[in-house]
């Protein structure tokens, strides 16, 4: 008769334990690598933010505008208020509202950049009502941070055009307006003005989430190893020793 130590059931349990422990350990390692990647990205973002402030002339000279994302910027130009867009379902401080986006024609050239000017609370009694904001005429100076285009949310059909939109796609908006838009935006910073708040949340890459998942995976791996060691090694050995002592007494 095949001994319990070498029984098919024992080998099956061992194989399952090795597979589960190996898989959970690998997933934990993968989460740690993802955390390290995002920490490196966060460091790069902070490094960009510490570089000298970029101005209108310097931005116009940049060949690849994505290279200056996260740089602080002070730009001069004139608003193209007729093309202002209100991005819907954009909360700030727990309140629902719009992020107001207006194109800025940069001084001394033809380039235009979308400016995420700030946030304004929506009218809950009339969804189509546009809040009152002020858009200065003439030459203005706008301070902020070069950012990717406004983040995209799930979009229902019919919300890709008009003043109130769910998202704004730069190539599509360029085709609609004829404006020579840059492939980035400016996230305007500073105190509240023109009827707009600018209490933007700091970029959160979710590094802590990856560490949390890694802890869970390593915990599961440890649990499998402990349970296997107890039920398949320690407990059978204890039972064997007890049996041997009992046989000796008899």
């Amino acid at each position: 008769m095949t001994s319990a130590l070498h029984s098919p059931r024992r080998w099956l349990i061992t194989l399952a334990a090795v597979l589960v422990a190996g898989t959970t350990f690998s997933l934990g390692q993968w989460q740690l690598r993802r955390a390290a990647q995002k920490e490196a990205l966060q460091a790069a973002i902070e490094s960009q933010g510490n570089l000298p402030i970029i101005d209108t002339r310097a931005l116009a000279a940049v060949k690849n505008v994505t290279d200056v994302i996260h740089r602080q910027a002070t730009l001069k130009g004139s608003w193209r208020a007729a093309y202002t867009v209100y991005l819907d379902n954009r909360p700030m401080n727990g309140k629902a509202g719009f992020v107001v986006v207006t194109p800025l024609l940069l001084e001394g050239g033809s380039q235009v950049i979308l400016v995420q000017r700030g946030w304004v609370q929506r009218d809950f009694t009339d969804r189509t009502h546009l809040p009152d904001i002020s858009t200065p005429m003439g030459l203005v100076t706008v301070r902020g941070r070069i950012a990717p285009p406004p983040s995209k949310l799930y979009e229902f059909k019919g919300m890709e055009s008009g003043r109130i939109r769910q998202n704004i796609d730069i190539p599509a908006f360029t085709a609609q307006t004829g404006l020579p838009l840059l492939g980035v935006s400016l996230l305007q910073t500073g105190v509240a003005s023109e009827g707009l708040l600018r209490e933007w949340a700091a970029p959160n890459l979710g590094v802590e989430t990856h560490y949390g998942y890694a802890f869970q995976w390593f915990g599961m791996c440890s649990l499998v190893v402990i349970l296997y060691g107890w039920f398949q090694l320690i407990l059978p050995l204890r039972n064997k020793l007890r049996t041997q002592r009992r046989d000796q007494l008899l």
Side-chain angles (χ1 to χ4, degrees):
M1 180 181 294
T2 305
S3 66
L5 183 63
H6 300 290
S7 67
R9 180 175 178 274
R10 178 69 175 273
W11 283 111
L12 184 61
I13 292 174
T14 300
L15 178 61
V18 170
L19 287 175
V20 173
T23 300
T24 52
F25 183 80
S26 297
L27 288 171
Q29 292 281 62
W30 178 74
Q31 290 291 345
L32 290 181
R33 290 194 296 271
R34 289 289 294 153
Q37 291 171 357
K38 290 193 174 181
E39 285 178 335
L41 179 58
Q42 183 65 47
I45 291 174
E46 293 175 357
S47 177
Q48 283 282 84
N50 292 329
L51 292 175
I53 297 174
I54 192 169
D55 60 15
T56 309
R57 182 176 298 179
L59 181 62
V62 173
K63 293 182 179 180
N64 186 358
V65 290
T66 59
D67 292 339
V68 296
I69 287 179
H70 304 301
R71 288 275 300 270
Q72 299 296 318
T74 299
L75 305 180
K76 292 184 178 182
S78 54
W79 296 116
R80 291 298 177 257
Y83 301 109
T84 296
V85 170
Y86 295 75
L87 297 182
D88 201 359
N89 297 313
R90 309 287 170 143
M92 182 172 285
N93 298 331
K95 297 180 180 179
F98 301 104
V99 166
V100 179
V101 179
T102 303
L104 181 73
L105 174 62
L106 298 178
E107 181 186 30
S110 60
Q111 291 181 323
V112 180
I113 187 170
L114 289 180
V115 180
Q116 301 183 58
R117 297 174 56 192
W119 177 92
V120 62
Q121 189 169 353
R122 66 175 306 160
D123 185 345
F124 292 100
T125 61
D126 183 2
R127 186 185 177 282
T128 62
H129 178 259
L130 297 178
D132 293 328
I133 62 170
S134 173
T135 303
M137 301 290 290
L139 187 66
V140 296
T141 299
V142 185
R143 295 175 177 82
R145 183 177 74 249
I146 304 295
S151 59
K152 292 187 176 182
L153 306 178
Y154 181 81
E155 186 172 68
F156 294 97
K157 188 175 181 180
M159 296 193 68
E160 65 276 2
S161 61
R163 300 294 297 275
I164 298 177
R165 305 186 182 201
Q166 189 80 343
N167 300 302
I168 184 168
D169 179 74
I170 287 184
F173 197 61
T174 298
Q176 291 173 10
T177 62
L179 298 173
L181 294 169
L182 296 175
V184 294
S185 69
L186 180 71
L187 190 71
Q188 187 174 354
T189 56
V191 298
S193 63
E194 301 166 357
L196 298 167
L197 289 178
R198 301 186 179 94
E199 298 175 4
W200 308 109
N204 184 3
L205 301 180
V207 175
E208 296 79 7
T209 301
H210 289 292
Y211 280 122
Y213 283 139
F215 178 80
Q216 292 178 13
W217 287 122
F218 287 137
M220 291 178 63
C221 178
S222 300
L223 180 62
V224 169
V225 172
I226 291 171
L227 291 177
Y228 178 84
W230 175 257
F231 287 104
Q232 300 300 318
L233 299 177
I234 297 175
L235 197 59
L237 180 60
R238 289 179 62 185
N239 292 336
K240 181 179 179 180
L241 292 175
R242 287 176 180 174
T243 301
Q244 289 177 348
R245 285 197 296 268
R246 186 172 61 249
D247 292 343
Q248 290 174 356
L249 292 175
L250 295 175

